[in-house]
Amino acid sequence: MSAQLWSDEPTRLDLLSFDAVAKTVVQAVLDDALDPVTVGVSGAWGSGKTTVLRLIEDELAPKPPAMDTTILVISTDPWRYDPGVGAKETLIGEVLSAVAAELAKKEQPEGRISRARTMLTKLRQRVDWAKALQVAAKTSLTLQLPSVDDLTSLINTEPGTDDADAGDPPSRGLGEFRSEFRTLMESAELSHLRRVVVLVDDLDRCLPDTVVDTLETIRLFLAVPKMAFVVAADEHRVADALRARFPDPGSGQQATQERYFEEPASLYLHKIVQTTVPLPTLSRFDTEAFLVLLQLSQRLTVEELTPYIEACVHLRLEKGLLDDLAEAVNGNDIFAEMAFASRMTPILYEKLQGSPRRIKRFLNDLRVRQSVAGHRGIELEPDIVAKLMVLEKLLPNAFATVLGWLARGELRSRMAKLETTAGRPAPEPPIAADPVPDDAASPEQQPTPDEGEREPVAFDDDLIRWAKLPPDLGPVDLAPYLYLAAAFTGDQLLDAGLPGRLRDIAANLLSSVRFDQRRVTEADITALGEDDALSLVEYLGRAGRDRPTEQTAAVRSLVRIATAYPATTERATRLLQSIPARELEPATILVLPPGAPVFRSVLEHWKSHVPADHDQIGRTLDIALGTGSRR
């Protein structure tokens, strides 16, 4: 994966095949039997509502040859309205400004002012006076009087309109607005307009008063012939906002008595919005196609990407497989994008509930985390990082459990048991570089990684379901990533099972700084006592097995403690043998004194289990055993 991030802004590229929704809405707003009409486009945050509005706008754009009638599209966003001016006045003002611009296109440059222009000016005066009342109300609340500029700037008429109807009194307030607005829309000067389509976005983000004022404006002032509204919002969130203005007096108890009961908030919404088109959540096919197209969008031009978008639509309609996408479009190698999407889809489809925005944000988080990890020398495949991020971000309690395993040095054994519980196949035993000696232990006799862990293993359902997600983690060293994730979240990795008096000693022994390691003197080790020595052996052995970055320090410390306390030697030996031979560091091997028979047996055990393709480890073991040359 590249380090480039995806923009969270809506797009006009239809990567989600929402064109079907857009065309359905366009058919409704252009239906002469539905005039005026308000259509809802409902979906959760991040589901693609704004993208659908842009597709609707593109669908309504004039196409050659030019038609005799015109569709005027107005985009508005109540969430961005100035809170100092009412939502009613702002929405009406945007509609009148767009109509004025359209009217100016049809007027002669030097012709006299039309009747429609005069009506438009009077409507604007009504809005200006309504704004003036808003300013007066606002300033009175703060014990201030509106300035002369505040009021005069709102009631000024357009230049040149005073001569048109000089005897008409100023139009104050919004009374009679709807009838005058209807007359304007029916005027000869606007006869070329077939529809004025107002696209309302982000209404579900607004405060309850703005939601109610916007809907009231649509219903009471602007719902006249030729007007159509498309309201993109989460229907449930809009209903929540309406409940603040229209509470249910019966607290829902009528529902048990009336078969078709609807609470006041829903009734109000359905009175204004005639029908709602829900946005579908992404299916598994949609999720995989979205992942492929997102990646291709960063390296292909729009012209090159369009055939892939169309091919995905065709495969969806034909219920085909996305595997056929590469054959459907020739000219580009998309194997990497297809492989990545195939690995990622099960995780994202399972956990992100079909939300395009959540998928984008997850992928961006993934790229950031991979970039930081890469700069710190942590190399993991994207699908493995993604699986760990699912645990970290979506299952925080389970993630804390895994961090606890890491802190106690039980990560590898617990992960192996978890994978087995989840039905994952056990990893194949390593292939020995040389024939296994007759006296070597059989696989059944090999030291189990979790030997000595007395706590019974029981996993909750969340962990088991997470473990079932691809890919298999198997022998992957997860410790570096988990340390990085813990650093991001501020979690401290402390082994609660290790007595507090031993934690500082363990931390110094495992430090990457030799000075810290030397701070634990031989006198400190001698003063431990046999029980504490055995506790440290257990901790250090698991750390050496599960944390490759601490492997050499852990083995060096094990040798020191086992030498001082012979009773711990047998356990230390079995823990050393549990370190996978394929993960041995050359420095770790050279730490063991081959002259001591017990440690020589560890070296021989590692030698018998070195995979054939790990030549450097094999050569280092030969040197340690005295059977190879140091040259």
Side-chain angles (χ1 to χ4, degrees):
M1 294 182 66
S2 70
Q4 185 179 358
L5 303 182
W6 286 278
S7 170
D8 197 31
E9 292 299 313
T11 177
R12 293 185 184 274
L13 276 176
D14 185 17
L15 305 184
L16 299 166
S17 193
F18 279 164
D19 59 322
V21 176
K23 290 177 180 177
T24 299
V25 174
V26 167
Q27 289 175 351
V29 300
L30 297 183
D31 188 346
D32 291 333
L34 303 173
D35 189 17
V37 65
T38 300
V39 179
V41 175
S42 181
W45 287 359
S47 60
K49 298 185 296 297
T50 303
T51 294
V52 170
L53 290 185
R54 291 186 175 181
L55 294 176
I56 292 172
E57 186 175 3
D58 291 343
E59 190 72 20
L60 292 171
K63 298 176 177 61
M67 300 175 62
D68 294 335
T69 56
T70 303
I71 308 297
L72 175 60
V73 179
I74 305 169
S75 296
T76 186
D77 188 344
W79 191 41
R80 302 180 187 275
Y81 287 175
D82 183 354
V85 180
K88 289 187 179 74
E89 294 75 20
T90 304
L91 177 54
I92 292 174
E94 289 187 351
V95 172
L96 293 182
S97 295
V99 172
E102 182 67 24
L103 190 60
K105 297 178 184 177
K106 299 297 180 181
E107 290 179 336
Q108 296 298 324
E110 298 179 357
R112 72 179 184 86
I113 297 174
S114 66
R115 182 68 180 175
R117 172 65 63 179
T118 302
M119 286 187 290
L120 180 61
T121 300
K122 293 175 67 175
L123 289 172
R124 282 182 158 180
Q125 285 179 341
R126 289 188 180 277
V127 176
D128 289 341
W129 276 107
K131 288 181 179 179
L133 294 175
Q134 289 278 343
V135 173
K138 177 183 177 183
T139 54
S140 66
L141 290 175
T142 58
L143 301 180
Q144 296 177 357
L145 292 176
S147 67
V148 174
D149 290 340
D150 287 336
L151 291 179
T152 56
S153 64
L154 293 175
I155 61 176
N156 284 337
T157 58
E158 293 184 359
T161 60
D162 293 336
D163 297 336
D165 283 285
D168 289 350
S171 300
R172 303 192 179 191
L174 293 178
E176 299 298 321
F177 181 93
R178 182 174 181 175
S179 62
E180 293 176 359
F181 182 63
R182 177 169 184 157
T183 302
L184 171 65
M185 298 304 296
E186 292 174 347
S187 64
E189 292 86 347
L190 295 178
S191 60
H192 66 287
L193 283 181
R194 181 184 177 188
R195 284 285 187 282
V196 176
V197 181
V198 183
L199 306 179
V200 183
D201 198 10
D202 285 336
L203 188 62
D204 48 1
R205 296 175 181 264
C206 299
L207 295 175
D209 286 345
T210 302
V211 173
V212 174
D213 287 350
T214 301
L215 293 175
E216 283 185 350
T217 303
I218 292 172
R219 182 66 177 174
L220 301 179
F221 299 104
L222 299 176
V224 302
K226 291 188 180 182
M227 295 296 297
F229 297 86
V230 181
V231 181
D234 185 338
E235 187 174 9
H236 300 294
R237 291 187 178 272
V238 172
D240 289 340
L242 291 175
R243 288 188 190 98
R245 182 73 68 89
F246 306 105
D248 179 7
S251 301
Q253 295 179 2
Q254 296 97 323
T256 61
Q257 303 170 5
E258 301 179 21
R259 184 176 181 182
Y260 299 107
F261 169 79
E262 280 191 272
E263 61 175 327
S266 297
L267 286 171
Y268 182 90
L269 181 60
H270 295 162
K271 180 68 175 176
I272 296 173
V273 179
Q274 285 88 337
T275 187
T276 298
V277 180
L279 283 187
T281 57
L282 302 188
S283 66
R284 187 185 179 101
F285 177 93
D286 296 331
T287 301
E288 188 169 357
F290 186 46
L291 289 171
V292 172
L293 295 176
L294 273 178
Q295 295 175 88
L296 292 178
S297 68
Q298 291 191 332
R299 71 176 180 91
L300 300 182
T301 65
V302 174
E303 291 75 16
E304 292 172 326
L305 182 62
T306 299
Y308 291 98
I309 297 175
E310 294 172 348
C312 287
V313 173
H314 176 74
L315 291 172
R316 183 182 292 104
L317 293 175
E318 298 296 326
K319 294 182 170 48
L321 298 175
L322 199 66
D323 295 344
D324 299 329
L325 181 61
E327 298 179 3
V329 182
N330 295 321
N332 290 285
D333 180 5
I334 64 170
F335 175 79
E337 288 83 1
M338 293 285 292
F340 173 78
S342 176
R343 294 195 303 267
M344 295 291 294
T345 295
I347 297 176
L348 301 187
Y349 176 68
E350 165 86 14
K351 295 299 180 183
L352 297 186
Q353 303 169 355
S355 169
R357 179 174 296 165
R358 294 184 73 189
I359 290 174
K360 273 188 182 180
R361 291 182 68 87
F362 188 92
L363 291 180
N364 283 340
D365 290 345
L366 171 61
R367 284 188 166 179
V368 169
R369 184 61 57 85
Q370 274 194 283
S371 177
V372 174
H375 288 301
R376 293 194 175 190
I378 303 170
E379 299 293 341
L380 288 177
E381 290 298 318
D383 49 352
I384 293 176
V385 176
K387 182 170 180 175
L388 293 172
M389 282 183 59
V390 167
L391 189 69
E392 175 187 351
K393 294 183 175 295
L394 304 181
L395 299 170
N397 292 334
F399 183 65
T401 298
V402 174
L403 288 183
W405 297 345
L406 176 63
R408 294 191 299 272
E410 300 172 357
L411 178 64
R412 176 158 290 172
S413 62
R414 294 301 173 97
M415 286 300 301
K417 290 180 179 179
L418 176 60
E419 295 254 300
T420 301
T421 304
R424 295 292 189 194
E428 294 183 4
I431 302 174
D434 300 309
V436 179
D438 294 336
D439 58 348
S442 64
E444 293 77 8
Q445 298 171 326
Q446 294 301 322
T448 57
D450 58 332
E451 184 178 345
E453 296 173 6
R454 300 176 182 178
E455 180 184 347
V457 178
F459 306 110
D460 61 26
D461 291 341
D462 280 343
L463 265 175
I464 295 173
R465 292 189 69 233
W466 171 78
K468 290 179 181 292
L469 294 173
D472 296 345
L473 296 180
V476 177
D477 177 22
L478 306 178
Y481 175 87
L482 293 176
Y483 277 119
L484 178 63
F488 277 124
T489 58
D491 292 327
Q492 291 186 321
L493 297 178
L494 299 176
D495 181 7
L498 191 66
R501 63 182 179 277
L502 300 180
R503 289 179 187 172
D504 289 341
I505 295 177
N508 285 331
L509 288 173
L510 293 176
S511 174
S512 59
V513 180
R514 293 299 297 271
F515 175 77
D516 291 336
Q517 296 175 17
R518 293 192 185 99
R519 290 176 63 183
V520 182
T521 65
E522 297 305 318
D524 293 330
I525 292 177
T526 303
L528 285 174
E530 193 168 291
D531 289 341
D532 283 352
L534 185 59
S535 296
L536 272 178
V537 164
E538 292 281 355
Y539 181 80
L540 294 170
R542 293 196 297 267
R545 180 193 65 207
D546 291 353
R547 309 175 196 169
T549 57
E550 299 176 353
Q551 183 189 102
T552 301
V555 172
R556 180 183 292 111
S557 302
L558 274 177
V559 171
R560 291 180 64 187
I561 296 174
T563 301
Y565 293 91
T568 66
T569 303
E570 181 180 356
R571 183 59 186 151
T573 301
R574 296 181 68 81
L575 285 166
L576 288 170
Q577 289 178 346
S578 72
I579 298 176
R582 63 180 176 276
E583 296 179 8
L584 286 170
E585 295 289 338
T588 300
I589 298 170
L590 298 176
V591 161
L592 291 184
V598 65
F599 294 125
R600 185 174 184 84
S601 69
V602 174
L603 293 170
E604 291 172 347
H605 171 85
W606 284 343
K607 175 64 178 175
S608 67
H609 289 82
V610 175
D613 56 347
H614 287 57
D615 294 339
Q616 184 180 9
I617 296 175
R619 289 194 299 270
T620 306
L621 284 167
D622 287 337
I623 292 171
L625 290 168
T627 59
S629 172
R630 291 181 177 268
R631 302 181 65 182

